[in-house]
Amino acid sequence: VNDTVGTLAGGIYADNDVVAAVILGTGTNAAYVEHVDAIPKWKGPLPRSGNMVINMEWGNFKSDKLPRSDYDIALDFESLNPGEQMYEKMISGMYLGEVVRRILLRLAHDASLFGDVVPSKLEKLFVLRTPDMSAMHHDTSHDLKHLGAKLKDILGVADTSLEARYITLHVCDKVAERGARLAAAGIYGIVKKLGRDRAPTDGSPKQRTVVAIDGGLYEHYKKFSSRVEATVAELLGEAAASSVVVKMANDGSGIGAALLAASHSQYNVVE
């Protein structure tokens, strides 16, 4: 049982309409409940329920349809696992801040974003973490003083212009938006695979569909999570979106793992 399957189990225990679980934290993954008839690879005995949990390992999804930029390609090349976890490197908490750093570094070199001298700390891999990116992105002060303070603390830039701070805010916004929309596309893909992406047209009642999400990125980066939810609704369309719920499952993975262990204990016979 990994954290994603645990979140699915905990989600179903709390809400019987949960059909999938997604982890959006340092890493990312998804799991959902599939009917065994749709699993041609399965050769073992069929479960009594007729259903099977699919651990997607979607972080390793790769496709030429993914909108990879020069920054993504360079990040992947210099990573510890080049050629792997392509999707994860575009949407997870481990990498969002690093994508922002690489864009700011290009702007510092090519457009003197932070003055004539490129901050030496900006050259350091992963110096800008996603929690710092989130803090800058959520700065609502008129002069972005909190964002400026972060740039000073992290990059050692003592005096940044208001224009540089607004450009940094814009970069954070676009990287977060792209990551959130790509994550939402994955969620929509699961809902579509399960045939839950359309409202009934025969007058039958709507079937409620719930996706449980766990992970610090989704929980704490509010502008990210709100865009995930908005994009899922956008992809589904108004009619279908009214019956699809994307919700936080706090510590769903730990609770779900405990529930699965408890349910499995019924098979242990004590002599």
Side-chain angles (χ1 to χ4, degrees):
V1 179
N2 62 21
D3 56 353
T4 320
V5 175
T7 299
L8 180 60
I12 293 173
Y13 179 77
D15 187 334
N16 203 44
D17 291 328
V18 168
V19 298
V22 174
I23 300 295
L24 287 170
T26 303
T28 184
N29 191 15
Y32 72 102
V33 180
E34 180 66 274
H35 196 276
V36 291
D37 291 344
I39 312 173
K41 291 181 179 179
W42 181 253
K43 304 302 181 185
L46 298 179
R48 288 187 303 237
S49 68
N51 294 320
M52 180 75 71
V53 172
I54 302 294
N55 169 40
M56 295 178 66
E57 293 296 344
W58 80 358
N60 202 33
F61 174 68
K62 61 180 72 174
S63 167
D64 58 6
K65 303 298 183 185
L66 286 174
R68 298 176 71 220
S69 67
D70 291 344
Y71 307 106
D72 301 303
I73 294 169
L75 185 156
D76 175 57
F77 180 77
E78 296 174 25
S79 70
L80 298 175
N81 54 344
E84 300 177 5
Q85 302 299 111
M86 297 299 192
Y87 189 44
E88 181 171 87
K89 287 170 181 173
M90 299 177 78
I91 70 173
S92 78
M94 178 73 181
Y95 299 101
L96 292 180
E98 174 62 8
V99 175
V100 169
R101 182 197 70 83
R102 288 171 180 272
I103 296 171
L104 295 179
L105 180 61
R106 172 77 67 85
L107 290 171
H109 276 294
D110 295 355
S112 302
L113 178 63
F114 301 117
D116 295 334
V117 178
V118 176
S120 59
K121 290 183 179 179
L122 190 56
E123 304 272 3
K124 184 178 178 182
L125 295 176
F126 292 96
V127 70
L128 182 62
R129 302 178 308 116
T130 300
D132 299 319
M133 168 190 170
S134 174
M136 293 192 296
H137 194 185
H138 287 94
D139 187 358
T140 57
S141 61
H142 72 280
D143 58 353
L144 299 178
K145 62 180 180 181
H146 304 298
L147 187 152
K150 279 289 183 183
L151 290 175
K152 180 180 178 180
D153 293 342
I154 299 165
L155 304 180
V157 184
D159 297 305
T160 52
S161 67
L162 185 59
E163 181 184 24
R165 295 197 291 273
Y166 270 106
I167 289 172
T168 301
L169 179 69
H170 183 69
V171 171
C172 292
D173 184 69
K174 289 306 176 185
V175 171
E177 180 180 21
R178 185 190 70 157
R181 290 181 69 83
L182 284 171
I187 294 170
Y188 172 72
I190 298 172
V191 174
K192 184 178 177 68
K193 177 68 172 64
L194 294 173
R196 305 285 191 100
D197 60 319
R198 291 194 177 116
T201 57
D202 58 0
S204 59
K206 291 181 179 179
Q207 188 176 20
R208 185 169 175 266
T209 299
V210 180
V211 178
I213 302 187
D214 199 4
L217 175 64
Y218 188 83
E219 181 179 6
H220 300 298
Y221 200 153
K222 299 304 181 185
K223 289 193 174 184
F224 180 91
S225 56
S226 64
R227 286 181 183 176
V228 170
E229 294 161 15
T231 305
V232 170
E234 176 189 333
L235 291 169
L236 286 166
E238 186 177 349
S242 63
S243 61
V244 176
V245 179
V246 178
K247 69 177 186 178
M248 185 71 202
N250 283 311
D251 193 30
S253 56
I255 294 169
L259 288 167
L260 287 171
S263 63
H264 183 69
S265 67
Q266 67 179 300
Y267 299 107
N268 295 333
V269 179
V270 179
E271 297 181 2

